[in-house]
């Protein structure tokens, strides 16, 4: 292991960011180059992500960015463009011009990143517009990216249009310091329990929810268990003289 | 009424009225106590440990006489943190966790998670045909066993004990098939990223064909016993009504949605695992009530039998075909075999890695301890479980463990319909309405 401090991002050997750029046609100029960059959410150090003990692999100096797929340029392909056009048109006629932060097409699924202030109007448009008609919400899923500064908490909505047989994903972010996202219960009543669950596990406060209380954990439970800074818990187990640490304290290979 | 032996459930006077603790005692004292209060409005806390609430479900019912004015669910009693635990295991180990969520349809949990991981790995087209057929076979057998339990427990909860005993009788046959094919009756962890864990054992196809033949004799018994039974119909017809608009608003899928007459089935509308190549019908019904849902489950078992039959025919032609992806960077390295001390790595494999190839040993060690990396991104591949749309939102940060795995469980979503299905009805109908949703609390609470 080299004693000198590793350079930032200088040894990108096995990037995970290829997926986003590989699908970008060479001759297409991106609308907003910044949006097309892969979203770096963390930095992975060493070969095995070992913390606290020596990495004897000889790859301890590797520093790699952890990046989610970046935005995609037009055309998105297939009906993705129809949905994007219809959504953009309907939103701008409602006076919202920058509601969609970016669009990610990855592995045949399309994700719209929505500004949280415009979420409620966006889902109402998505449900009501005849060209969109996403009448079925499959619920809310939270994701916590502790290193994604200013965008730590993500709420992910999967919408289904039974009329057009299409499925899209909406993603809304909010910072840890201000964990508020507007509730979509008024548009999709099914989100009631899903938002309560996401509040319970991530601490995202859904403004406008009729009764945002814990749903899985006891009412007096401290903390929000699915956040990355919340420990898994567990005790060491002794077996035949050896002690096996709990899962979150074992050597990991991330 | 007075149970001083129970320190956690004592009778008490609160600001909202007198509290009675009801266990298995003589009900005369309760009736008398309530009569003394001379109040029509009663809040009944039913469960979480109750034989009729379909699992560890707590119901809070507000009653006016015998009419339910408000119904609310209390859930979370079976929360086990499976999603959190999955973030601390490899991608393959995740299957072992998620199979335990909805314990009546374990193969669907495994399948939706596995399909999501395979989409992120971009290997959806590389899954061997035999593995896909086996997945369909197991899922459809699982639909039969799950619907049998739904009908059986639903019958038990309204006092039709024969429905319960015959339902569990047939389910046992399906579980025997599971045991033969996967080695376990429940919690199989059999469908894994890249394929399935093992090949079909010898003789399994014959057993499946025997089972199909037997089921074709037994399924009409359910119809004879229930379909036109006046007591059964009196309890089920027009109970737990929920129309199409209500279903869509509340995100209800599965039999409750199809009982409104809307033929939405992901196997037909958004096929996965090659369902477009199988011949089957989507069952609908024209009365969106508990009876319609019962009839749908009954008819869907016939359709599942049809699919199982087609799977058996295909598997007969796929003798000896691979059941795991060829990519050795993903495929589980060992084949299991029965040894003198039980099931374990096959002797051939042990001989290979210990005596012949250092590279194979390293590969085995790396794959089993570290696991494979999954490219960063997120995927959602829902499947049509016996209860509706079951989907896993799988997020990877490019590491060897799931960054986040969230399950959209149909039981969780469908249970939200409890209020609209039972408010305004009789208290006895609440049980029927919930049984017609068929929630599995392991899936609700995860």
């Amino acid at each position: 292991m080299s004693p000198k401090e590793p350079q930032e991002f200088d040894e990108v050997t096995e990037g995970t960011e290829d997926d986003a750029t590989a699908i970008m046609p060479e001759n297409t100029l991106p609308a907003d180059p910044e949006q097309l960059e892969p979203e770096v959410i963390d930095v992975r150090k060493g070969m095995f992500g070992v913390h606290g003990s020596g990495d004897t692999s000889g790859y301890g100096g590797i520093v790699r960015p952890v990046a989610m797929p970046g935005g995609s340029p037009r055309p998105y392909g297939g009906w993705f463009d129809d949905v994007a056009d219809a959504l953009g048109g309907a939103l701008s006629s409602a006076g919202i011009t920058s509601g969609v932060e970016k669009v990610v097409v990855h592995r045949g699924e399309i994700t719209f990143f929505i500004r949280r202030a415009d979420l409620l109007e966006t889902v109402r448009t998505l449900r009501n517009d005849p060209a969109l008609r996403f009448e079925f919400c499959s619920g809310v899923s939270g994701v916590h990216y502790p290193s994604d500064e200013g965008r730590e908490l993500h709420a992910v909505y999967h919408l289904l249009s039974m009329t057009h047989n299409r499925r899209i994903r909406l993603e809304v972010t909010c910072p840890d310091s201000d964990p508020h996202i507007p509730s979509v219960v008024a548009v999709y009543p099914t989100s009631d329990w899903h938002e309560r669950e996401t509040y319970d596990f991530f601490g995202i406060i859904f403004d406008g929810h009729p009764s945002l209380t814990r749903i899985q954990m006891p009412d007096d439970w401290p903390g929000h268990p699915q956040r990355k800074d919340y420990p898994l818990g567990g005790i060491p187990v002794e077996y035949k003289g050896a002690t096996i640490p709990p899962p979150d304290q074992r050597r990991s290979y991330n | 009424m007075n149970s001083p032996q129970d320190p956690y459930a004592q009778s008490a006077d609160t600001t909202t009225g007198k509290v009675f603790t009801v266990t298995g005692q003589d009900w005369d004292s309760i009736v008398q106590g309530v009569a003394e209060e001379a109040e029509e409005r009663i809040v009944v806390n039913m469960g979480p440990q109750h034989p009729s609430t379909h699992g560890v479900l707590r119901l809070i019912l507000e009653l006016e006489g015998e009419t339910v004015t408000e119904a609310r669910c209390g859930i979370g009693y079976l929360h086990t943190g499976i999603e959190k635990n999955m973030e601390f295991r490899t991608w393959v180990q995740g299957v072992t966790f998620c199979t335990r969520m909805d314990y009546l349809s374990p193969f669907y949990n495994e399948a939706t998670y596995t399909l999501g991981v395979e989409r992120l790995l971009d290997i959806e087209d590389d899954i061997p045909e035999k593995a896909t057929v086996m997945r369909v076979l197991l899922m459809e057998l699982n639909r039969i066993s799950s619907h049998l339990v739904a009908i059986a427990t639903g019958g038990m909860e309204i006092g039709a004990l024969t429905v319960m005993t015959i339902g569990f009788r047939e389910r046992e046959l399906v579980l025997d098939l599971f045991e033969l094919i996967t080695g376990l009756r429940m919690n199989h962890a059999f469908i894994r990223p890249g394929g399935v864990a093992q090949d079909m054992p010898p003789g399994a196809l014959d057993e499946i064909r025997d089972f199909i033949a037997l089921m074709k004799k037994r399924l009409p018994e359910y119809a004879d016993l229930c379909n036109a039974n006046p007591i059964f119909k009196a309890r089920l017809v027009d109970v737990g009504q929920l129309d199409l608009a209500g279903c869509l608003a509340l995100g209800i899928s599965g039999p409750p949605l199809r009982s409104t007459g809307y033929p939405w089935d992901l196997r037909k509308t958004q096929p996965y695992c090659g369902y477009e190549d199988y011949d089957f019908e989507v069952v609908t019904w024209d009365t969106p009530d508990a009876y319609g849902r019962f009839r749908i489950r009954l008819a869907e078992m016939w359709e599942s039998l049809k699919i199982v039959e087609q799977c058996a025919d295909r598997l007969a032609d796929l003798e000896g075909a691979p059941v795991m992806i060829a990519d050795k960077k993903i495929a589980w390295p060992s084949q299991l075999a029965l040894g003198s001390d039980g099931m374990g790595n096959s002797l051939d494999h042990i001989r290979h890695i210990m005596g012949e190839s250092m590279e194979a040993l390293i590969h085995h060690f790396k794959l089993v301890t570290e696991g494979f990396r999954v490219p960063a991104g997120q995927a959602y591949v829902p499947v049509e479980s016996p209860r509706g749309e079951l989907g896993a939102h799988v997020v990877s940060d490019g590491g060897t463990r799931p960054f986040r795995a969230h399950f959209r469980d149909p039981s969780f979503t469908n249970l939200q319909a409890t209020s609209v299905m039972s408010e305004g009805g009789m208290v006895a109908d609440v049980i029927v309405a919930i049984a017609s949703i068929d929630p599995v609390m392991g899936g609700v609470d995860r």
Side-chain angles (χ1 to χ4, degrees):
Chain A
M1 208 165 123
S2 155
K4 75 172 172 37
E5 195 61 21
Q7 293 276 302
E8 287 286 291
F9 309 147
D10 58 350
E11 281 181 89
V12 181
T13 48
E14 192 191 332
T16 53
E17 72 275 29
D18 293 348
D19 308 297
T21 44
I23 52 169
M24 187 164 81
E26 278 171 61
N27 297 326
T28 315
L29 277 176
D32 181 0
E34 212 172 89
Q35 300 293 357
L36 302 187
E37 289 297 312
E39 189 176 340
V40 177
I41 53 163
D42 203 359
V43 175
R44 186 172 288 144
K45 290 186 176 151
M47 187 69 159
F48 299 114
V50 178
H51 305 290
S53 71
D55 182 352
T56 54
S57 67
Y59 290 97
I62 282 188
V63 177
R64 288 173 296 176
V66 177
M68 300 302 277
S72 310
R74 293 263 196 171
Y76 305 133
W79 54 264
F80 290 168
D81 290 290
D82 302 341
V83 172
D85 290 340
L87 178 62
L91 283 184
S92 55
S93 63
I96 301 170
T97 46
S98 57
V100 180
E101 279 177 356
K102 68 171 172 179
V103 180
V104 178
V105 178
H106 182 67
R107 296 280 189 262
E109 297 182 8
I110 189 164
T111 310
F112 293 92
F113 281 74
I114 309 290
R115 277 200 328 174
R116 61 173 165 167
D118 301 324
L119 175 67
L120 197 57
E121 195 51 42
T122 307
V123 291
R124 186 168 286 133
T125 307
L126 282 167
R127 189 193 64 177
N128 292 349
D129 192 295
L132 297 165
R133 205 63 96 199
F134 287 89
E135 63 274 89
F136 191 93
C137 177
S138 292
V140 187
S141 160
V143 190
H144 185 210
Y145 298 96
S147 308
D148 195 6
E149 232 165 273
R151 301 159 59 84
E152 284 93 350
L153 294 165
H154 291 221
V156 183
Y157 305 79
H158 290 97
L159 302 185
L160 166 67
S161 165
M162 290 172 166
T163 310
H164 302 291
N165 202 8
R166 295 165 173 171
R167 208 180 273 281
I168 61 168
R169 177 186 296 125
L170 303 185
E171 200 156 334
V172 184
T173 67
C174 67
D176 242 349
S177 51
D178 177 31
H180 289 265
I181 287 176
S183 166
V184 301
V185 172
V187 179
Y188 295 115
T190 177
S191 299
D192 185 347
W193 283 18
H194 291 279
E195 286 182 356
R196 283 176 64 190
E197 189 188 353
T198 310
Y199 160 72
D200 194 353
F201 286 146
F202 290 91
I204 299 177
I205 296 163
F206 290 92
D207 295 321
H209 188 284
S211 63
L212 196 66
T213 51
R214 287 187 185 269
I215 186 164
Q216 303 282 16
M217 308 303 288
D219 289 340
D220 54 353
W221 193 264
H224 300 281
Q226 285 275 7
R227 295 170 56 96
K228 290 286 177 187
D229 50 16
Y230 191 100
L232 178 66
I235 54 166
V237 176
E238 200 177 308
Y239 182 67
K240 292 196 174 174
T243 306
I244 294 106
D248 59 345
Q249 286 162 37
R250 289 176 203 159
R251 180 174 173 141
S252 72
Y253 296 93
N254 247 335
Chain B
M1 181 160 43
N2 298 313
S3 39
Q5 72 277 13
D6 186 350
Y8 299 105
Q10 287 168 335
S11 296
D13 283 305
T14 66
T15 50
T16 50
K18 194 161 173 59
V19 176
F20 298 95
T21 302
V22 180
T23 52
Q25 81 272 37
D26 188 357
W27 277 67
D28 284 348
S29 54
I30 305 293
V31 174
Q32 201 177 359
V34 173
E36 279 168 15
E37 290 295 308
E39 203 174 338
E40 279 292 296
R41 177 181 161 280
I42 299 174
V43 180
V44 173
N45 178 44
M46 201 171 150
Q49 310 290 344
H50 193 279
S52 290
T53 54
H54 222 84
V56 207
L57 169 66
R58 177 179 165 211
L59 289 170
I60 302 122
L61 306 173
E62 193 177 310
L63 309 178
E64 289 274 358
E66 274 202 71
T67 307
V68 179
T69 53
E70 273 198 79
R72 293 289 180 274
C73 293
I75 63 169
Y77 295 94
L78 220 52
H79 176 63
T80 43
I82 286 176
E83 291 172 358
K84 178 88 173 172
N85 266 290
M86 286 170 78
E87 293 171 11
F88 292 89
R89 317 284 164 149
T90 66
W91 289 94
V92 174
Q93 285 174 316
V95 177
T96 317
F97 275 86
C98 70
T99 187
R100 285 161 165 76
M101 293 188 322
D102 183 342
Y103 42 81
L104 291 184
S105 54
F107 288 114
Y108 293 90
N109 302 333
E110 299 170 17
T112 183
Y113 169 74
T114 299
L115 290 172
V117 176
E118 285 169 356
R119 177 169 290 179
L120 281 179
L121 283 164
D122 206 11
I123 56 168
E124 285 176 292
D125 300 331
D126 306 330
I127 308 303
E129 188 195 350
K130 188 170 189 184
T132 307
V133 177
M134 282 178 71
R135 287 177 181 179
V136 173
L137 171 89
L138 291 167
M139 280 196 281
E140 291 309 321
L141 283 173
N142 200 172
R143 189 182 309 276
I144 296 173
S145 71
S146 176
H147 279 350
L148 282 169
V149 175
I151 292 172
T153 53
M156 180 190 72
E157 284 157 14
I158 59 170
L161 283 185
T162 313
V163 181
M164 192 268 280
T165 51
I166 62 172
F168 277 98
R169 180 187 66 183
E170 263 78 79
R171 173 177 182 253
E172 200 60 24
L173 302 174
V174 184
L175 294 190
D176 286 346
L177 286 179
F178 288 163
E179 192 176 358
L180 178 68
I181 296 170
T182 72
L184 293 163
R185 290 153 54 86
M186 297 172 90
N187 308 334
H188 315 273
F190 189 72
I191 300 174
R192 297 179 181 178
V196 295
Q198 292 178 70
D199 203 349
M200 293 288 281
L205 287 183
D206 296 331
E207 295 280 340
I208 291 169
R209 293 221 167 84
D210 291 347
F211 168 76
I212 295 170
L214 186 65
M215 277 307 272
K216 284 184 173 167
K217 284 199 213 97
R218 293 268 175 92
L219 276 183
E221 289 181 14
Y222 290 85
D224 293 344
L225 183 62
C226 302
N227 279 3
N229 184 326
I231 306 172
F232 199 74
K233 286 185 82 171
R235 289 300 307 272
L236 264 61
V237 171
D238 288 339
V239 172
Q241 290 266 1
L242 190 63
D243 63 1
L244 181 58
C247 281
L248 291 187
L250 288 171
I252 312 294
S253 47
L257 175 63
R258 289 192 285 276
S259 71
T260 66
Y262 187 53
W264 183 265
D265 188 322
L266 291 174
R267 293 176 294 171
K268 277 278 190 230
T269 53
Q270 300 178 351
Y272 50 91
C273 287
Y275 265 110
E276 62 271 29
D277 301 332
Y278 293 89
D279 174 35
F280 67 101
E281 302 295 325
V282 176
V283 183
T284 59
W285 201 254
D286 49 6
T287 55
D289 56 6
Y291 183 72
R293 287 163 211 146
F294 162 76
R295 292 296 294 266
I296 283 181
R297 293 202 173 92
L298 202 54
E300 278 187 356
M301 287 199 277
W302 282 105
E303 299 301 322
S304 292
L305 270 188
K306 264 161 69 178
I307 301 175
V308 170
E309 213 163 11
Q310 294 166 52
C311 289
D313 291 344
R314 288 182 196 200
L315 286 175
D317 299 334
L318 288 167
E319 194 77 43
V323 295
M324 193 38 109
I325 189 170
D327 185 351
K328 288 290 174 200
K329 295 284 182 192
I330 294 170
W332 196 248
S334 65
Q335 276 294 314
L336 293 174
L338 200 59
S340 56
D341 54 349
M343 186 68 89
N345 289 332
S346 73
L347 272 181
D348 285 342
H349 181 71
I350 302 279
R351 193 175 299 120
H352 182 57
I353 61 172
M354 298 308 286
E356 293 169 5
S357 169
M358 184 70 179
E359 289 293 320
L361 177 66
I362 295 171
H363 240 91
H364 182 119
F365 180 74
K366 289 270 286 177
L367 261 176
V368 173
T369 58
E370 182 182 348
F372 49 77
R373 288 174 191 277
V374 172
Q378 47 187 335
Y380 180 76
V381 188
V383 300
E384 186 73 30
S385 95
R387 278 161 274 284
E389 178 180 321
L390 172 70
H393 177 224
V394 185
V395 184
S396 173
D397 67 343
T400 55
R401 304 156 152 194
F403 189 72
R404 165 97 166 115
H406 172 74
F407 285 78
R408 189 267 184 203
D409 194 277
S411 303
F412 177 80
T413 316
N414 292 5
L415 201 55
Q416 292 187 88
T418 304
S419 311
V420 281
M421 279 188 184
S422 41
E423 282 175 8
M426 305 294 274
V427 64
D429 292 343
V430 176
I431 304 304
V432 178
I434 290 174
S436 79
I437 301 173
D438 187 28
V440 174
M441 299 315 289
V444 173
D445 293 341
R446 283 158 285 135

